[in-house]
Amino acid sequence: EAQVTQNPRYLITVTGKKLTVTCSQNMNHEYMSWYRQDPGLGLRQIYYSMNVEVTDKGDVPEGYKVSRKEKRNFPLILESPSPNQTSLYFCASSPAVQGVGYGYTFGSGTRLTVV
Amino acid sequence: GQQVMQIPQYQHVQEGEDFTTYCNSSTTLSNIQWYKQRPGGHPVFLIQLVKSGEVKKQKRLTFQFGEAKKNSSLHITATQTTDVGTYFCARDSGYALNFGKGTSLLVTP
């Protein structure tokens, strides 16, 4: 089944403790992206990647890192999480850089709470 | 990225009534995409519109792209309880989809 898999689904952590949210897709998509979703603010892009070793900042990259060493994986790293990073996170992928003709496939989400 | 504006923010209808959500941009859009997110779920791609004045249908859902490519709408005919969720439009800015804040639809049986 074609899908984007995120782990974990739920995570509660403490301020300052480094964490990684994994994202993997099995569709050989070139483009991958991370979004966070917050009430009243909607979906905002954190980082994106056009292909292996090519990443760039989205609208809200502060406090996050990403890497794209393999085509299928795009982990999101929080080096020193803070409470304002409490959010619902989605990974998404698409077969084309500009998405023309293609929608994004989203993972099931990771609900992160930083206390 | 530049956002698109969606109205209304919320809509509560009786089952069988129609529903429409609108998406507006201050600048011309190259294309517009629509997504649905069920409560507790993730966004799911519905459709992409590219051409000026384009109209596409998916069963009870009708999607339109304005002639000036600055607005779009999603119309659901005779809503069902399975239509509950938040509907997002999103503009393609080149390297990202910039989402509107969505319209949350509640359908009462």
Side-chain angles (χ1 to χ4, degrees), chain B residues 45-91:
Chain B
F45 174 69
L46 295 176
I47 207 162
Q48 175 168 289
L49 305 173
V50 179
K51 298 177 183 177
S52 168
E54 189 169 17
V55 179
K56 287 189 176 180
K57 293 190 175 185
Q58 291 179 350
K59 297 183 179 178
R60 295 177 293 104
L61 277 61
T62 302
F63 303 85
Q64 292 190 335
F65 203 8
E67 294 288 344
K69 299 183 76 173
K70 288 187 174 182
N71 57 76
S72 181
S73 65
L74 158 59
H75 179 83
I76 302 179
T77 303
T79 55
Q80 300 175 359
T81 55
T82 53
D83 295 324
V84 165
T86 301
Y87 293 84
F88 294 95
C89 63
R91 68 177 296 159

Side-chain angles (χ1 to χ4, degrees), chain A residues 13-15 29 39 46 52 82 92 98:
Chain A
T13 191
V14 296
T15 299
H29 284 173
I46 304 171
V52 175
S82 63
Q98 293 193 342

Side-chain angles (χ1 to χ4, degrees), chain B residues 29-54:
Chain B
L29 303 165
S30 58
N31 63 78
I32 193 83
Q33 298 188 11
W34 286 92
Y35 291 77
K36 176 184 179 181
Q37 184 176 20
R38 294 182 187 274
H42 58 277
V44 175
F45 174 69
L46 295 176
I47 207 162
Q48 175 168 289
L49 305 173
V50 179
K51 298 177 183 177
S52 168
E54 189 169 17

Side-chain angles (χ1 to χ4, degrees), chain B residues 1 17 40 73 78 95 106:
Chain B
E17 292 182 337
S73 65
Y95 297 106
L106 179 61

